[in-house]
Amino acid sequence: MLTKKTASAAPGAARRRGGAAVGHLGRTLDRRAFLKHSGLGVGAGALAVQLPYSLIGAAEAAAPAAARGSGEAEVKRTVCTHCSVGCAIDAVVENGVWVGQEPVFDSPINLGAHCAKGAAIREHGHGEHRLRYPMKLVDGKYQRISWEQAITEVGDRLLKIREESGPDAVYWIGSSKHNNEQSYLLRKFVSFWGTNNCDHQARICHSTTVAGVANTWGYGAMTNSYNDMQNAKAMLFIGSNAAEAHPVSMMHILHAKENGAKMIVVDPRFTRTAAKAHQYIRIRSGTDVPFLFGLLYHIFQNGWEDRKYIDDRVFGMDKVREEVLAKWTPDQVEEACGVPEEQMLLAARTMAENRPSTIVWCMGQTQHSIGNAMVRASCIVQLALGNIGISGGGANIFRGHDNVQGATDIGPNPDSLPGYYGLAAGSWKHWCAVWGVDYEWVKSRYVSQEMMEKSGITVSRWIDGVLEDKALIDQPAGNLRAVVYWGHAPNSQSRGAEMVEAMKALDTLVVIDPYPSATAGMAAMVRKDGVYLLPACTQFETEGSATASNRSLQWREKVIEPLFESRPDHTIMYAFAKKFGWADEFVKNIKLVKDAQGWDEPDMADTLREINRGTWTIGYTGQSPERLKLHMKNMHTFDVKTLRAVGGPCDGEYFGLPWPCYGTPGMKHPGTPNLYDTSKHVMEGGGNFRANFGVEKDGVSLLAGDGSASKGAEIQMGYPEFDHVLLKKLGWWDELTDAEKAAAEGKNWKTDASGGIIRVAMKNHGMHPFGNAKARALVWNFPDPIPQHREPIYSPRPDLVAKYPTHDDKMKFWRLPTLYKSMQEKLADISREYPLVMTSGRLVEYEGGGEETRSNPWLAELQQEMFAEVNPKDANDAGFRNGDYIWVESPTKAKLKVRAQVTQRVAPGTVFLPFHFSGWWQGKDMLEHYPEGAAPIVRGEAVNTATTYGYDSVTMMQETKTTLCRVTKA
């Protein structure tokens, strides 16, 4: 069993077939030696989280050594590729080899700190367990092939499917590990292929957040920042375990706590974050709406709501108030979520009497069949307290992967083009103009205009796109025949037992990834051929930008050249574009460069400039590569709390130019640190709620009240979004140049390619281009305009299903039939057989599906086995003890063999499993199914092998946080 990273075994040594491995690579190390070997000086990065800011600021002398060997050292500034915090790293390179690293003490985000994953990041630059060259499955075993053969064979197979069944028969799964430029290019790539059947990780982590938040107040993103939490007086975490999922963020959180902020953690499990809380509240998984509306009950009952704020800036709160006071009395709240009145009152009082107060949520809240309702309930609490649009308040939504925010903003979404432009003809024409291609040509790539404007299948349901009755699939192509996994972990998706059946049924399966991922092993387990593995680079082998959770963009320098035969993702895209016959259109406005291997590579800086020319909606237009690189070089000039530069070449700008950064780069908008903040001028990062839903509803104005516009606005009342008509009515049209007039005629602020409408509104008149409206507590276009609690499909409380039933079935929803009530009714008594709630979450040592991090020997040493946390009562009832192997079985009959951790972290009736593992299949190690030498060091059961059916009624988010299981001794 691997207990230390030892020197006794050579690379590729035998691994323990039990989810862990035999030690290899390097000598046994203590903590200090480990940090030194990783390129960290005397544990500085790990210890920085415990240092006061004054000492961190004084640590600038800990710069990389000038040289660490015979060659001259270079320092390349990059950003950690794991979570969304955005920790900066200085990589030390000698003779093309990554030999050391330092956390960037100047970074206003990580302040010289790392978590375990960040401290071990250099291991990706050596890549012992990487996918080294293209491979194909031949008679059940992976064999090496050339890149030329791979592009030819994969291209021919996909083109044949396209010819026989149409472009919608191929499904493209993008990646939240792609940088912004690659994410953007992949959406363009899929559009030119002729389908909207594309998606990426955000669907299964925060799609309910994006939809719920955007439909409440305008933009689907974190409103404030990790740094701004230092200004909070109270913090409510619900479904967020920041201490493990976003460890470096805890610096800012604990600094707020040290300054007196009250901390509340609401979670079914007593997490490491809960251990830091003033008040821990345990709720039943899936009951966030009763809890949040239970808070509102006490807020309304005690008159703690901000009435002026609500009157001026919120629509529909009166209807919410009526329902909350009538429906969510303390007894009803306790019945649903298990929290007694005194705990609810204390939490409500803490949030109300310690303003500004902020709320944080993550996948514990989003991954439910009513995830959109839970998200909106969180928003409504903050609107009632007047906490949105103020420093120290906000909805601080911690995203998962390093660029999941950016990939969501401008990447391969099935329901929109980059920048959330949607799929209507006007959106297509806007982007075709940016791309420099003819709209009619792009339309011709699709089966029809109807399919061009129809949202595609989501990644959470591609399984059903393969296995569902063809007659029930809402696309002419019928079933999916090929799937391309381009940087996505299959073990992060639910219903894994059915997924292998879908993999088996495909004509072609392609994996493009630095690591073979669980896809390779799962596919080889059930197939003999038709699977291709193409090695992509990590983000350290290319350059480009990434968007952190707080909407700040950072530019990564290339650290090293691509390892082995791997290629950057955008280089692979261009190679396939040539094969498919539209390479010229793909890079019409983007420069090509020759890489070190002679391949044509689209230039990443040029790609960002194209993004800048088109993404007006969310303000991805001001962050030119030149401005971002300047920020990376001058991190020391940015204030830690405000993120604003004080003097220097970036004076007055916010770090990373957090979107929206409006107008052209030349307009010099500073970025927006806190969304909807009326206390600042719009050219200082201020704003208000977006007028995105009309100007009135049922005779009631949706525009903001008098005096509620942003500071310095010429019109201090509500107003609609700007277009050419409004500019003319206000008499401001002649403030445009002649060239701007030509571009802006007939357009609005989102489609004016000159940026003139934005410039005149913001710079000349202090007005927000998207208008000034009220946030919506009542979202009339959602299935439940006021959020409703509905029991999960697999409910542990059959007594509450009749009281809180799920939605009616939908026969055409994201192109597929989707079951709700019929399945819930069928499963009404399932909890008799499977009485325990099964939920999942993160560990500090691993990230996402875990393939990268479980292949890292430093991290593999820290967490060596898959496990399940089980309460002592349930363990005693089942007859096993701590450390025993147990079976966790779900209603799908899938069984997971894991170690038991018997602990009171979970309550009786709940079982917790981490979701980072793969490489075992229902008790059997899958090592033989991986390419030789490319299996992760630590392998274990994937919790999602056993998760069940259930999807959000707006976004098709999978329900992974609340299903059922039973446990027995193995």
Side-chain angles (χ1 to χ4, degrees), residues 778-889:
L778 189 151
V779 178
W780 58 81
N781 51 310
F782 272 26
D784 292 324
I786 296 173
Q788 301 294 310
H789 172 61
R790 297 177 183 276
E791 283 293 304
I793 305 294
Y794 289 79
S795 174
R797 293 288 302 273
D799 57 313
L800 293 181
V801 168
K803 189 173 184 179
Y804 305 111
T806 189
H807 296 279
D808 292 331
D809 294 354
K810 300 184 178 188
M811 293 313 295
K812 290 184 179 181
F813 184 45
W814 298 86
R815 302 193 185 187
L816 290 166
T818 306
L819 305 180
Y820 292 93
K821 190 172 288 184
S822 66
M823 179 167 281
Q824 189 182 62
E825 290 173 350
K826 180 182 176 183
L827 299 166
D829 297 320
I830 195 71
S831 61
R832 293 179 182 176
E833 292 181 70
Y834 298 91
L836 308 177
V837 172
M838 184 172 81
T839 191
S840 63
R842 295 181 184 273
L843 301 175
V844 70
E845 298 88 357
Y846 297 138
E847 170 69 17
E851 206 76 7
E852 282 188 342
T853 42
R854 286 182 290 106
S855 296
N856 187 317
W858 302 105
L859 300 173
E861 178 182 322
L862 299 177
Q863 181 60 58
Q864 301 177 21
E865 229 170 353
M866 174 59 170
F867 61 89
E869 292 182 355
V870 184
N871 185 270
K873 179 185 183 303
D874 297 322
N876 293 338
D877 288 346
F880 59 79
R881 301 185 67 178
N882 186 63
D884 287 346
Y885 268 122
I886 62 172
W887 290 106
V888 180
E889 181 184 344

Side-chain angles (χ1 to χ4, degrees), residues 174-452:
S175 182
S176 295
K177 294 298 186 193
H178 288 161
N179 61 33
N180 283 322
E181 295 71 31
Q182 292 166 340
S183 297
Y184 164 82
L185 285 176
L186 187 57
R187 187 53 173 101
K188 188 184 196 180
F189 180 97
V190 174
S191 300
F192 289 4
W193 172 261
T195 187
N196 296 324
N197 277 338
C198 59
D199 211 349
H200 61 103
Q201 281 97 333
R203 179 67 44 194
I204 56 176
C205 62
H206 272 286
S207 62
T208 44
T209 289
V210 174
V213 173
N215 277 277
T216 299
W217 47 55
Y219 282 149
M222 184 177 188
T223 62
N224 293 40
S225 68
Y226 299 111
N227 302 65
D228 184 68
M229 290 184 70
Q230 296 177 45
N231 299 309
K233 301 272 181 66
M235 302 174 287
L236 172 66
F237 293 77
I238 180 165
S240 166
N241 180 14
E244 297 205 67
H246 306 87
V248 176
S249 74
M250 289 296 287
M251 282 194 309
H252 305 290
I253 292 161
L254 295 179
H255 192 64
K257 187 182 174 189
E258 288 166 2
N259 287 339
K262 305 299 182 185
M263 186 172 173
I264 307 165
V265 172
V266 182
D267 202 290
R269 175 175 174 253
F270 187 81
T271 63
R272 292 185 183 184
T273 310
K276 301 293 185 183
H278 295 95
Q279 184 184 8
Y280 167 64
I281 302 172
R282 194 190 296 277
I283 63 170
R284 176 168 66 94
S285 183
T287 61
D288 298 49
V289 172
F291 172 79
L292 291 160
F293 278 4
L295 288 183
L296 271 180
Y297 176 89
H298 291 291
I299 290 167
F300 289 141
Q301 279 284 83
N302 289 281
W304 291 332
E305 72 271 29
D306 188 330
R307 292 176 184 173
K308 177 167 176 49
Y309 181 99
I310 292 169
D311 288 346
D312 287 346
R313 302 191 67 189
V314 185
F315 170 82
M317 189 65 81
D318 54 334
K319 297 288 194 293
V320 173
R321 178 190 174 96
E322 289 173 15
E323 178 155 322
V324 165
L325 292 177
K327 186 174 180 179
W328 291 112
T329 54
D331 59 321
Q332 297 300 305
V333 171
E334 184 170 4
E335 178 192 49
C337 71
V339 183
E341 181 177 6
E342 60 269 20
Q343 289 190 39
M344 296 298 309
L345 178 59
L346 176 60
R349 184 185 300 277
T350 299
M351 290 292 284
E353 295 184 352
N354 296 277
R355 285 182 257 192
S357 46
T358 189
I359 188 167
V360 178
W361 71 81
C362 294
M363 297 194 301
Q365 182 164 109
T366 63
Q367 289 182 330
H368 297 272
S369 55
I370 58 165
N372 77 84
M374 294 177 179
V375 163
R376 289 188 296 121
S378 291
C379 295
I380 291 168
V381 168
Q382 287 297 78
L383 289 172
L385 292 171
N387 274 327
I388 300 298
I390 60 171
S391 178
N396 282 306
I397 305 145
F398 291 7
R399 300 298 299 263
H401 289 288
D402 61 309
N403 198 43
V404 67
Q405 184 63 59
T408 307
D409 296 334
I410 56 175
N413 299 307
D415 58 340
S416 71
L417 294 171
Y420 310 101
Y421 271 82
L423 296 173
S427 299
W428 279 107
K429 288 175 181 177
H430 168 75
W431 277 108
C432 286
V434 174
W435 296 332
V437 297
D438 182 60
Y439 164 75
E440 293 297 330
W441 175 77
V442 176
K443 187 167 74 171
S444 74
R445 302 294 301 161
Y446 283 76
V447 171
S448 64
Q449 184 169 346
E450 178 190 0
M451 297 311 295
M452 185 183 190

Side-chain angles (χ1 to χ4, degrees), residues 71-89:
E72 186 174 340
E74 294 181 275
V75 177
K76 302 289 187 179
R77 183 154 290 181
T78 186
V79 179
C80 181
T81 56
H82 292 306
C83 84
S84 67
V85 173
C87 298
I89 299 164

Side-chain angles (χ1 to χ4, degrees), residues 491 493-496 838-841 866 888 890 894 896 912-918 940-948 960 963:
N491 52 307
Q493 294 175 237
S494 61
R495 299 166 59 204
M838 184 172 81
T839 191
S840 63
M866 174 59 170
V888 180
S890 80
L896 311 177
F912 168 87
L913 300 98
F915 60 66
H916 307 298
F917 289 83
S918 65
E941 299 276 13
V943 62
N944 282 317
T945 299
T947 46
T948 51
T960 56
T963 187

Side-chain angles (χ1 to χ4, degrees), residues 899-925:
R899 290 282 186 191
Q901 281 195 9
V902 179
T903 173
Q904 294 187 22
R905 283 193 290 268
V906 291
T910 296
V911 175
F912 168 87
L913 300 98
F915 60 66
H916 307 298
F917 289 83
S918 65
W920 270 28
W921 189 262
Q922 301 194 58
K924 187 177 186 301
D925 192 335

Side-chain angles (χ1 to χ4, degrees), residues 35-218:
L35 292 167
K36 183 177 180 182
H37 191 77
S38 299
L40 296 172
V42 200
L47 292 174
V49 295
Q50 302 172 30
L51 297 176
Y53 289 117
S54 58
L55 291 184
I56 290 174
E60 293 178 7
R68 302 196 180 205
S70 57
E72 186 174 340
E74 294 181 275
V75 177
K76 302 289 187 179
R77 183 154 290 181
T78 186
V79 179
C80 181
T81 56
H82 292 306
C83 84
S84 67
V85 173
C87 298
I89 299 164
D90 277 341
V92 183
V93 180
E94 275 184 24
N95 299 320
V97 178
W98 190 354
V99 298
Q101 70 178 79
E102 296 280 2
V104 179
F105 279 84
D106 286 337
S107 167
I109 292 177
N110 63 303
L111 304 168
H114 272 331
C115 71
K117 295 186 291 291
I121 200 78
R122 183 172 61 95
E123 199 66 31
H124 296 310
H126 300 289
E128 184 199 353
H129 296 271
R130 289 269 293 271
L131 179 61
R132 300 180 177 218
Y133 30 70
M135 307 187 84
K136 66 183 287 190
L137 193 65
V138 179
D139 196 25
K141 295 292 182 182
Y142 286 106
Q143 295 183 2
R144 181 177 183 173
I145 60 175
S146 68
W147 265 109
E148 182 180 9
Q149 182 181 351
I151 296 294
T152 299
E153 290 189 16
V154 171
D156 287 345
R157 292 175 78 108
L158 297 182
L159 287 169
K160 184 173 186 289
I161 291 170
R162 191 181 194 280
E163 181 181 352
E164 293 174 351
S165 301
D168 289 320
V170 179
Y171 196 82
W172 304 85
I173 305 174
S175 182
S176 295
K177 294 298 186 193
H178 288 161
N179 61 33
N180 283 322
E181 295 71 31
Q182 292 166 340
S183 297
Y184 164 82
L185 285 176
L186 187 57
R187 187 53 173 101
K188 188 184 196 180
F189 180 97
V190 174
S191 300
F192 289 4
W193 172 261
T195 187
N196 296 324
N197 277 338
C198 59
D199 211 349
H200 61 103
Q201 281 97 333
R203 179 67 44 194
I204 56 176
C205 62
H206 272 286
S207 62
T208 44
T209 289
V210 174
V213 173
N215 277 277
T216 299
W217 47 55

